[in-house]
């Protein structure tokens, strides 16, 4: 039987693929909010990968990083949205 | 233009600030046991400041206090290092002496971690955390002041016209 | 294969499926609001299931090994879950509000009360 | 002309860096690790600390951390200096140069 | 506990300015007078510890200061002492720190009068002390990554100083250019540190010297380090930031910014002689230094010839002076492994290092007296200045002494070092000596132009105010030092420069 | 070159690419903020290089809470990288504040305009 | 075991390079800042994979929140579009 | 300590030079004394001598600016000075350009020679 | 004693967070006891209380900005925990809904206004976040004075207030008002 943490590694690999797919929304997304949505998605996926990796590596304390990331990505999202609120015209 | 963000964001900010600060302090004082330390914890605490700044669009009048806090942290840090001059600078003279932060591990190798160890390492973590949180808050404060995203203070004289 | 492992695998696959759906939706939907629907709901849900997986896993490991660090892992994962639940929808709301303030119209929108209220 | 020279120089540097990447020891297999092994073995005994990185950061290489904090301090001083208010009426015109 | 203050002096040279820099904002909340006093105490204490270290090194020999070790002075050097950060207290560091602290004290005293009317002064004094600490750390350290850290401290603090007069657009522009260049340079230095660490697993100079063998990666690291430190030392053709930064910095710290680039030059020599250059065929890096030096000399002096801005003119002159040192020390390095080293290489080294300490002092004098002119008249253009000798007699004398010294007019100190350089470089290649002579003549023409335009001619009544006494005192201090160097060059060479050459070339302690 | 050796080379290749992309930005882009972004990318590259050097395959993080013995990745580059991250933040903040002041004085942040200091 | 870690690293590094390229080629500075944030986010994940938790936390805190924040402040105080007027 | 003797290693001995200066000034004073006795005062004897012509306007107000000195030299060496001055464009990209070009040249040099 | 309640609530939140973070991280207080891993060491408790005191004295004006101390009541916390169950069910539904729309692409979006008539900030926040997490709806804007919410609805229907918010409002009234 494969070790259980192999499943976690596999899941994280899949998340890596999703991250690259979501990154294309950052590249393509016609407006800035679209790119921000892409960034937000990547944030959530990275948090999921970090939690999974923490379990897979048996490194308990790695979960802390996910918490830090969850909070700080929120700050980033707020900053970008605050900037967008003051922007005129949604193009480009 | 309104400088505050929406009501939902403000409420969530109010709720999150205290846990974020606690989390930062946790990272600082457990720096010698778990990943983290003065710098990371300080950055997390500063991000709570950033959260307040961005959600409310204004900042208190604590610039001088923050500046003093920063200097104080660094002064204590370098004094901690200089006290080690009995041997050499940066000598860890507290570790293993048995007093505050001078505890010893019962066993080497894997252990869950004991907070009362580490000597100057723990203290320096605290000092660096003090300095970094104040410093990064000051950077956020100063950069946001010029950006027009914040509520203007009365003392700022906007001279935006271009020299030729 | 014992039942805890089955549970863990099922939770893990749910997490994978929903994250995949969110990622696909990010590309299939036409405008920012609908993309936000996909991104927020699906990825949050998927990540919640990831935390459930890890919590189940760490509880299982704790039962087997009786090491305190797995309990610690479960608690920290719970904290991460709470942080996610609070921050993700708020972030989505902030993006949507900013997008609307920028003047991006919802695609194919049937009605727009917010716009009307601003006009009046 | 100038731009093409710049591109050529840029490519030369690229080539050298890539050469270094090829020549570098294989990833994940350091051959010289006496210093790090010494730190790993010495930390718990000497400092009673679990996190080796913190021990390196604050004790073995404490001076680096002091320098790091100093840089942050000087950057904050610099930001406060550069973005401080300008008393416009007195200091706006530049000293006559040319 | 036997606390030997001599042994700890390297740590104090770094620690005292840092401690006082951190204290300055705190003291400023109490009173501004006290802050000035604290600043002065910090400067003087630093100079005092430099004196202590120099005394100890010159009488007892050099030693390694190991940070965080059990006993202050390891008698038998176990290898794991090298794993910690070390400070190298040898004669070369003595030469460097003496140069730095003379300039720092003079510029600090000068600042009291010069900066009186500015706002945000506590930050100014803080940054001044931080720059001092950064340069001291840079020349004292014996660890590659620590070198990077102090390098960055120096660049950040000195860039903030350049941009101190934020009401001038040019100042901020110059600071940004300087900052971008030093940050990119610092990153390349960090990259080369990574290359070294990846290969040998150590960061200490002494340990690296034993293991470097001259592989492809070593060559890459050598190239990166040479170019970046030469850039920071304002060598042509990467000198363009230097005139901007020197001329736009607040006048009292201009010599100090120049000293930071001199510090980079010290570090470059230490890296080339002590760590990496000697392991990768020294003649190659010596030739590189000579080429860069000759370029700097020619480009600097000819650009100075066409300048009309007084401070920029002196800035370009300082670029050309850096060329002299690089050329002389390059000759020493190029001949290091041959019999020629005993014939003239060591002489060239002595000339180069003596020129460094000379140059640090008289360039500071020249800058400070030029800044006094600008301070009094608010004019920097040589087209508009004139006749100032009537109103500012002391400044005229100071400027004249500095100008003659930089031009290498015989009785003054600049001549004694230049003579050494001519003599030794002639034996290596006559062309270099001829270039050096011609550059020296053009330098005389340039300073003659500056002196003629600014001080001679009919009195135009440009001087609006008096030169404050603290500024005069600062310049006077430097003049005294220049005169000492003028009167006792043999003493300086035999007591300070020759041991420095030996320490630089010989194995590390 | 086999697939596995490419996998093994990938960190170094990424480091080189990041450094080169950053250098490209600093060399050819004219917007000051873009240049600073390029510098940030270079910093990322240098940090990644140091941490890649620290890795020993299949070993643990240098913390005694979870590792089994001293089979750990090397701690020194981690400390160095922490230092360099802080340095990067400090320099970035300082350069950005310079840029803000330049915009105020010159009305532009294009390097074609920001050239009053010349000759 | 180690192969799958290498493959995950490969994916993350590819994403890192792509986002870094995007930073250079976006004309809109705010988009470039967003891409920079994504880049340092992936860098943090890579540090995580290389078993450097301290560095990963620091990079997450600095790269994700603070650097992006000060870039956004700077863009707001200067101008948004790259290009010569 | 203080070495008065002439050192042939090239270090300048200022004591000797001071003696030479004193000697030279004595000689100069002697020459001055010789010439001064035969000096005749004329109308323009205190005026500056520029190219033999009378200068326009009040000669006390004449001010030679920084551009005027060495104007002939820079004009004559136009081909050298003009590219040099144009090279100092003040653009940040050009500063970086020089660093990168030097770096490339140095790297190639080191690679080829060693 | 004006700050009393604010101080206490901030202190409790801080202490709770700290204890949760250090749960089972320190050495156990009682050796060899069953489930002793769950406890905290004495040092951790002392540190936690002092840290919470410091943080509470510094930030009590932030958490209780509106002087609203309803959440000090433990019953409300229990109701809030129970509320997560219907919320979770709705979230599951939401995801199948989005999955359906991702696959078919059938959307008919609109921004509608609803008025749940909640009074407190906390209630509005909870409602907005719950709405964001549930099927086909996304909070776009919130009125500052009233509790009117503007919702982006992916498949527009009738009677928005009841259809969108009706399920949550009565729950939220129970613990937040």
């Amino acid at each position: 039987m494969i070790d259980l943490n192999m499943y976690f590694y596999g899941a994280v690999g899949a998340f890596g693929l999703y991250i690259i797919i979501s990154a294309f929304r950052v590249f393509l997304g016609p407006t800035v909010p679209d790119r921000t949505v892409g960034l937000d998605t990547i944030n959530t996926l990275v948090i999921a990968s970090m939690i999974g990796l923490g379990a897979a590596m048996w490194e308990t304390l790695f979960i802390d990083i996910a918490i830090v990331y969850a909070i700080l990505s929120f700050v980033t999202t707020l900053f970008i949205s605050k900037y967008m609120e003051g922007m005129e015209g949604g193009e480009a | 233009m309104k400088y505050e963000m929406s009501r939902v964001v403000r409420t969530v900010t109010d709720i999150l600030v205290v846990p974020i600060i606690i989390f930062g302090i946790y990272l600082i004082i457990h720096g010698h046991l778990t990943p983290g330390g003065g710098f990371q914890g300080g950055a997390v605490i500063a991000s709570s400041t950033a959260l307040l700044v961005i959600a409310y669009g204004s900042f208190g009048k604590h610039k001088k206090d923050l500046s003093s806090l920063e200097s104080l942290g660094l002064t204590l840090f370098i004094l901690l290092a200089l006290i080690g001059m009995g041997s050499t600078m940066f000598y860890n003279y507290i570790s293993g002496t048995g007093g505050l932060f001078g505890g010893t591990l019962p066993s080497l190798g894997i252990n869950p971690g004991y907070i009362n160890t580490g000597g100057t390492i723990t203290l320096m973590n605290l000092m660096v955390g003090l300095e970094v949180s104040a410093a990064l808050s000051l950077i956020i404060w100063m950069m946001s002041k010029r950006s027009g995203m914040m509520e203007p203070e009365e003392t700022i004289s906007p001279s935006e016209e271009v020299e030729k | 294969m014992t039942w805890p492992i089955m549970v863990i695998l099922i939770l893990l696959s749910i997490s994978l499926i929903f994250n995949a759906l969110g990622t696909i939706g990010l590309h299939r939907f036409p405008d920012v609001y609908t993309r936000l629907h996909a991104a927020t709901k699906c990825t949050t849900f998927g990540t919640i299931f990831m935390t459930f997986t890890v919590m189940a896993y760490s509880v299982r490991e704790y039962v087997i090994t009786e090491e305190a660090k797995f309990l610690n892992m479960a608690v920290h994962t719970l904290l991460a879950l709470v942080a996610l639940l609070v921050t993700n929808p708020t972030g989505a709301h902030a993006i949507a509000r900013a997008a609307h303030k920028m003047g991006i119209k919802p695609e194919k929108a049937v009605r727009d009360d917010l716009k009307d209220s601003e006009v009046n | 002309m100038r731009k093409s020279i710049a591109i050529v120089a840029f490519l030369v540097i690229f080539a050298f860096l890539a050469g270094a990447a090829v020549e570098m020891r294989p990833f994940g297999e350091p051959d010289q690790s006496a210093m790090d092994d010494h730190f790993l073995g010495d930390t718990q005994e000497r400092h009673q600390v679990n996190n080796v990185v913190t021990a390196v950061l604050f004790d073995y290489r404490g001076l680096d951390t002091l320098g790091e904090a100093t840089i942050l301090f000087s950057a904050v001083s610099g930001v406060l200096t550069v973005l401080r208010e300008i008393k416009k009426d007195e200091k706006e015109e530049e000293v006559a140069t040319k | 506990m036997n606390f030997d203050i001599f042994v700890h002096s390297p740590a104090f040279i770094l620690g005292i300015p840092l401690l006082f820099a951190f204290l300055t904002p705190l003291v400023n909340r109490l009173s501004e007078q006290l802050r000035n006093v604290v600043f002065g105490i910090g400067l003087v204490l630093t100079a005092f510890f430099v004196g202590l270290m120099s005394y100890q090194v010159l009488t007892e020999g050099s030693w390694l200061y190991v940070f965080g070790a059990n006993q202050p002075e390891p008698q038998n050097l176990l290898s794991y002492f090298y794993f910690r950060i070390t400070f190298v207290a040898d004669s070369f560091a003595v030469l460097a720190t003496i140069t730095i602290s003379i300039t720092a004290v003079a510029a600090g005293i000068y600042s009291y009068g010069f900066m009186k009317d500015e706002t945000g002064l506590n930050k100014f004094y803080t940054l001044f002390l931080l720059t001092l600490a950064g340069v001291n750390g840079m020349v004292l350290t014996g660890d590659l990554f620590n070198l990077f850290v102090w390098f960055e401290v120096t660049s950040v603090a000195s860039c903030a100083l350049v941009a101190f007069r934020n009401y001038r657009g040019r100042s901020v522009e110059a600071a940004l250019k300087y900052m971008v260049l030093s940050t990119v340079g610092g990153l390349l230095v960090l990259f080369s540190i990574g290359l070294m660490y990846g290969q040998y697993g150590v960061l200490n100079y002494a340990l690296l010297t034993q293991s470097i063998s001259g592989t492809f990666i070593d060559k890459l690291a050598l190239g990166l380090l040479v170019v970046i430190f030469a850039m920071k030392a304002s060598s042509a053709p990467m000198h363009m930031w230097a005139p901007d930064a020197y001329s736009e910095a607040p006048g009292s710290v201009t010599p100090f910014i120049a000293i930071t680039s001199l510090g980079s030059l010290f570090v470059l020599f230490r890296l080339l002689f002590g760590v990496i250059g000697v392991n990768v065929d020294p003649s190659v890096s010596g030739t590189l230094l000579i080429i860069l030096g000759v370029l700097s000399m020619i480009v600097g002096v000819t650009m100075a010839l066409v300048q009309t801005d007084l401070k920029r003119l002196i800035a370009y002159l300082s670029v050309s002076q850096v060329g002299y040192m690089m050329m002389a020390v390059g000759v020493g390095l190029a001949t290091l492994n041959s019999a020629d080293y005993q014939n003239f290489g060591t002489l060239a080294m002595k000339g180069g290092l003596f020129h460094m300490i000379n140059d640090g002092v008289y360039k500071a004098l020249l800058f400070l007296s030029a800044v006094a002119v600008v301070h009094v008249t608010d004019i920097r253009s040589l087209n508009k200045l004139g006749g100032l000798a009537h109103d500012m007699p002391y400044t005229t004398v100071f400027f004249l002494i500095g100008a003659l010294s930089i031009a290498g007019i015989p009785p003054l100190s600049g001549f004694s070092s230049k003579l050494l350089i001519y003599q030794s470089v002639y034996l290596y290649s006559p062309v270099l000596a001829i270039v050096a002579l011609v550059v020296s003549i053009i330098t005389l023409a340039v300073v003659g132009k500056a002196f003629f335009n600014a001080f001679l001619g009919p009195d135009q009544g440009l001087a609006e105010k008096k030169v404050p006494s603290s500024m005069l005192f600062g310049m006077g201090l430097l003049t005294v030092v220049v005169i000492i160097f003028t009167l006792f060059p043999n003493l300086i060479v035999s007591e300070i420069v020759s041991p420095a050459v030996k320490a630089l070339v010989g194995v590390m302690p | 070159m086999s697939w596995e050796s490419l996998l093994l080379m990938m960190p170094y290749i990424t480091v080189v690419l990041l450094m080169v992309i950053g250098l490209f930005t600093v060399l050819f882009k004219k917007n000051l903020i873009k240049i600073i972004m390029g510098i940030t990318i270079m910093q990322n590259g240098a940090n990644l290089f140091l941490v890649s050097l620290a890795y020993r395959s299949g070993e643990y993080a240098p913390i005694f809470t979870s590792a089994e013995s001293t089979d750990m990745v090397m701690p020194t580059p981690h400390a160095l990288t922490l230092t360099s991250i802080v340095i990067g933040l400090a320099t970035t903040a300082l350069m950005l504040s310079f840029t803000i002041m330049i915009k105020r004085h010159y009305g532009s942040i294009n390097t074609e305009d920001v050239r009053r200091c010349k000759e | 075991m180690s192969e799958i870690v290498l493959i995950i690293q490969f994916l993350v590094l590819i994403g890192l390079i792509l986002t870094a390229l995007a930073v250079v080629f976006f004309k809109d500075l705010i988009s470039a800042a967003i891409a920079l944030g994504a880049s340092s986010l992936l860098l943090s994940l890579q540090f995580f994979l290389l078993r450097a938790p301290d560095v990963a936390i620091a990079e997450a805190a600095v790269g994700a929140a603070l650097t992006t924040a000060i870039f956004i402040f700077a863009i707001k105080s200067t101008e948004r579009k790259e290009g010569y007027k | 300590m203080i070495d008065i003797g002439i050192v042939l290693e090239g270090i300048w001995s200022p004591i000797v030079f001071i003696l030479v200066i004193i000697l030279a000034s004595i000689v100069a004073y002697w020459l001055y004394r010789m010439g001064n006795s035969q000096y005749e005062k004329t109308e323009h004897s205190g005026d500056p001598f520029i190219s033999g012509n009378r200068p326009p306007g009040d000669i006390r107000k004449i001010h030679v600016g920084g551009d005027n000195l060495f104007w002939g030299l820079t004009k004559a060496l136009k081909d050298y000075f003009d590219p040099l001055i144009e090279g100092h464009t003040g653009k940040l990209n050009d500063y970086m350009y020089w660093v990168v070009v030097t770096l490339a040249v140095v790297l190639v040099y080191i690679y080829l020679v060693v | 004693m004006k700050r009393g309640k604010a101080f206490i609530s901030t202190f409790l939140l801080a202490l709770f967070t700290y204890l949760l973070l250090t749960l089972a991280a320190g050495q156990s207080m009682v050796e060899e006891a069953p489930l002793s891993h769950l406890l905290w060491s004495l040092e951790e408790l002392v540190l936690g209380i002092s840290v919470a005191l410091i943080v509470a004295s510094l930030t009590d004006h932030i958490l209780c900005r509106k002087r609203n101390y309803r959440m000090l009541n433990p019953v409300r916390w229990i109701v809030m925990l129970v509320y997560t169950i219907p919320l979770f069910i709705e979230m599951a539904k939401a995801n199948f809904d989005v999955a359906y729309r991702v696959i078919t692409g059938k959307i008919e979006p609109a921004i509608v206004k609803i008025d749940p008539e909640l009074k407190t900030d906390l209630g509005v926040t909870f409602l907005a976040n719950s709405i964001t997490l549930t099927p086909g709806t996304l909070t776009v804007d919130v009125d500052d004075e009233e509790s009117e919410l503007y919702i982006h609805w992916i498949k527009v229907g009738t009677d928005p207030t009841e259809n969108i918010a009706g399920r949550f409002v009565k729950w939220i009234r129970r613990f937040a008002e």
Side-chain angles (χ1 to χ4, degrees), chain E residues 322-438:
Chain E
V322 165
Y324 274 99
M325 305 157 205
M326 292 180 80
M327 186 183 75
V329 179
V331 166
L333 186 59
T335 58
L336 191 59
N337 282 353
S338 63
D340 285 341
Y341 181 70
Q342 285 309 321
N343 295 337
F344 56 84
T346 175
L347 203 61
M349 294 278 298
K350 274 183 199 167
L353 295 192
F354 188 34
H355 200 64
M356 283 178 96
I357 188 166
N358 262 338
D359 176 69
V361 178
Y362 62 63
K363 202 162 67 188
L365 177 60
L366 205 55
F367 266 127
L368 289 185
S369 41
V371 165
V373 170
V374 179
H375 180 69
V376 166
T377 59
D378 264 5
I379 300 172
R380 283 162 54 171
S381 170
L382 287 176
N383 288 333
K384 294 178 188 154
L385 284 172
L388 287 171
H390 301 270
D391 289 330
M392 333 171 46
Y394 296 111
T395 314
T396 312
V397 172
F398 294 146
F399 188 91
L400 189 63
I401 289 174
L404 294 182
S405 192
I406 204 171
I409 296 300
L412 286 154
S413 66
F415 180 70
S416 30
S417 52
K418 276 188 182 177
L419 185 65
L420 275 173
I421 294 175
Y422 300 146
Q423 203 178 19
S424 53
V425 163
Y426 181 80
L427 293 173
Y428 183 74
S429 158
V431 180
L432 294 182
I434 293 167
V435 168
L437 267 170
V438 170

Side-chain angles (χ1 to χ4, degrees), chain A residues 61 68 71-72 78-79 82, chain B residues 3 20 23 34-35 47 54 149:
Chain A
L61 309 162
V68 173
I71 293 166
L72 294 179
L78 283 193
F79 267 90
K82 175 96 171 192
Chain B
Y3 296 100
I20 289 177
F23 190 70
T34 63
S47 79
I54 204 70
M149 280 154 89

Side-chain angles (χ1 to χ4, degrees), chain F residues 32-119:
Chain F
L32 285 176
I33 289 188
K34 207 43 144 344
I35 286 174
I36 298 169
M37 282 177 181
I39 291 175
T40 313
I41 294 175
M42 281 179 85
Q43 280 160 358
N44 287 351
N47 294 341
L48 180 60
F49 184 47
L50 285 176
V51 180
S52 303
L53 289 177
Y55 188 63
R56 283 194 272 204
S57 48
E59 304 197 25
Y60 290 85
I63 295 167
F64 279 96
T65 316
S66 52
E68 291 180 348
S69 61
T70 53
D71 301 334
M72 297 174 176
V73 299
M74 306 205 279
T76 319
H78 293 181
L80 306 189
T81 315
L82 270 176
T83 310
S84 92
I85 285 175
V86 185
I87 292 171
L89 176 67
T91 48
T92 309
L94 195 57
M95 283 189 285
L96 284 176
S97 55
F98 288 161
T99 314
I100 292 173
M101 281 318 274
I102 281 180
K103 170 73 179 177
R104 238 183 104 176
H105 283 289
Y106 289 55
S108 162
I109 52 168
N110 194 301
T111 49
E112 298 279 349
D113 296 334
V114 186
R115 46 187 290 200
R116 279 190 207 160
C117 295
K118 56 179 179 180
E119 288 174 10

Side-chain angles (χ1 to χ4, degrees), chain B residues 60-133:
Chain B
K61 295 190 187 325
H62 297 297
K63 181 184 158 193
K64 278 196 168 175
D65 296 335
L66 279 178
S67 190
S68 307
L69 207 63
E70 188 195 4
S71 303
L72 188 72
L74 267 177
T75 311
L76 291 176
F77 180 69
I78 196 169
L79 280 179
L80 274 176
L82 284 174
I83 289 170
M85 283 280 193
S87 298
T88 48
M89 197 171 165
F90 279 103
Y91 179 65
N92 191 344
Y93 46 92
I94 297 179
S95 172
T97 53
L100 188 63
F101 297 116
T104 49
L105 295 174
S107 68
L108 301 185
I110 294 188
N111 60 62
Y114 300 87
I115 197 133
N116 190 16
T117 55
T120 51
I121 293 176
T122 317
L123 289 171
M124 283 178 179
N125 257 326
L126 279 175
M127 299 315 156
V128 170
L130 202 63
E131 190 256 341
V132 168
S133 52

Side-chain angles (χ1 to χ4, degrees), chain B residues 7-36:
Chain B
R7 198 170 160 186
V8 175
V9 174
R10 275 180 284 145
T11 316
V12 169
T13 302
D14 284 352
I15 295 170
L16 273 181
V17 163
V18 173
I20 289 177
I21 291 176
I22 288 289
F23 190 70
I25 292 174
Y26 164 79
L27 282 184
I28 291 173
I29 63 185
H30 286 244
H32 57 299
L33 306 175
T34 63

Side-chain angles (χ1 to χ4, degrees), chain E residues 173 176-177 180-181 184 188 216 219-220 222-224 227-228 231 237-241 244 280-281 284 287-288 292 298-299 302-303 305-306 308 316 347 350 382-386 410-411 415-416 419-420 423 445-446 448-449 452-453 458 460 486-491 493 495, chain H residues 1-15 17-18 21 59-70 73-74 77 80-81 83-107 109-114:
Chain E
E173 180 197 335
L176 181 81
K177 288 171 178 171
V180 168
L181 283 189
V184 172
L188 292 177
F216 175 76
K219 288 181 212 165
L220 178 60
L222 172 71
L224 287 172
V227 171
I228 297 308
M231 186 265 281
M238 302 163 288
H239 63 284
M240 285 129 161
W241 62 269
D244 297 353
V280 196
D281 189 3
V284 173
T287 319
L288 266 180
L292 287 176
I298 296 171
V299 171
T302 45
M303 281 305 291
L305 198 60
V306 294
T308 51
Y316 275 111
L347 203 61
K350 274 183 199 167
L382 287 176
N383 288 333
K384 294 178 188 154
L385 284 172
F415 180 70
S416 30
L419 185 65
L420 275 173
Q423 203 178 19
V446 172
K449 167 185 167 180
F452 177 82
N453 281 146
Q460 299 183 358
T486 303
L487 291 182
F488 311 112
N490 285 333
L491 185 67
V493 169
E495 293 300 315
Chain H
M1 286 273 271
I2 301 167
D3 197 355
I4 299 184
I6 302 168
V7 182
L8 289 176
E9 258 208 337
I11 301 165
W12 184 254
S13 180
I15 309 294
F17 194 75
I18 286 169
I21 286 180
I59 45 172
R60 285 173 199 286
K61 293 281 166 61
I62 284 181
H63 177 235
V64 183
D67 283 334
N68 308 49
L69 276 182
F70 309 124
L73 181 65
T74 45
L77 295 176
Y80 172 73
F81 276 105
L84 196 64
I85 292 172
E86 277 167 24
H88 291 70
T89 51
K91 274 192 279 185
L92 183 54
N93 298 103
D94 286 349
Y95 290 21
M96 237 8 252
Y97 163 82
W98 282 110
V99 173
V100 166
V101 167
T102 317
L103 189 56
V105 170
V106 166
L107 285 179
Y109 174 77
I110 292 177
Y111 182 68
L112 290 183
V113 170
V114 180

Side-chain angles (χ1 to χ4, degrees), chain D residues 11-21, chain E residues 216 219-220, chain H residues 104 107-109 111:
Chain D
L11 289 178
V12 166
I13 291 175
F14 190 5
F16 269 87
L17 293 186
Chain E
F216 175 76
K219 288 181 212 165
L220 178 60
Chain H
L107 285 179
V108 169
Y109 174 77
Y111 182 68

Side-chain angles (χ1 to χ4, degrees), chain E residues 14-123:
Chain E
L14 186 72
I16 291 293
L18 282 181
L19 178 65
F20 280 83
F22 301 150
L23 276 177
T24 311
L26 287 178
V27 173
N28 190 53
R29 289 192 79 167
L30 299 179
S31 100
E32 300 207 340
Q33 293 299 319
L34 198 59
R35 175 201 68 203
N36 291 353
V37 171
V38 163
F39 171 69
I41 291 174
L43 276 183
V44 171
L45 264 184
T46 314
F48 171 70
F49 280 110
V50 167
L52 285 190
M53 189 185 85
S54 314
Y55 176 76
Q56 182 79 355
V57 168
L58 297 178
T59 55
E60 305 274 318
S62 53
W63 75 97
L64 271 187
Y65 190 82
V66 184
F67 281 87
N70 279 330
Q71 68 268 35
E73 197 177 8
Q75 291 302 317
N76 48 347
L77 282 171
L78 296 175
S79 68
Y80 66 78
F81 275 118
Y82 285 113
F83 292 160
R84 293 175 175 269
I85 293 174
T86 55
F87 265 17
V88 185
D90 62 358
S91 320
F92 186 63
V94 166
L95 178 77
T97 44
I98 284 180
T99 316
I100 292 161
S101 50
I102 288 172
T103 318
V105 170
I109 295 170
Y110 191 91
S111 296
Y112 281 136
F114 183 77
M115 299 298 289
K116 251 186 334 226
D117 305 329
E118 304 273 351
T119 57
L121 272 185
N122 64 331
K123 297 285 180 255

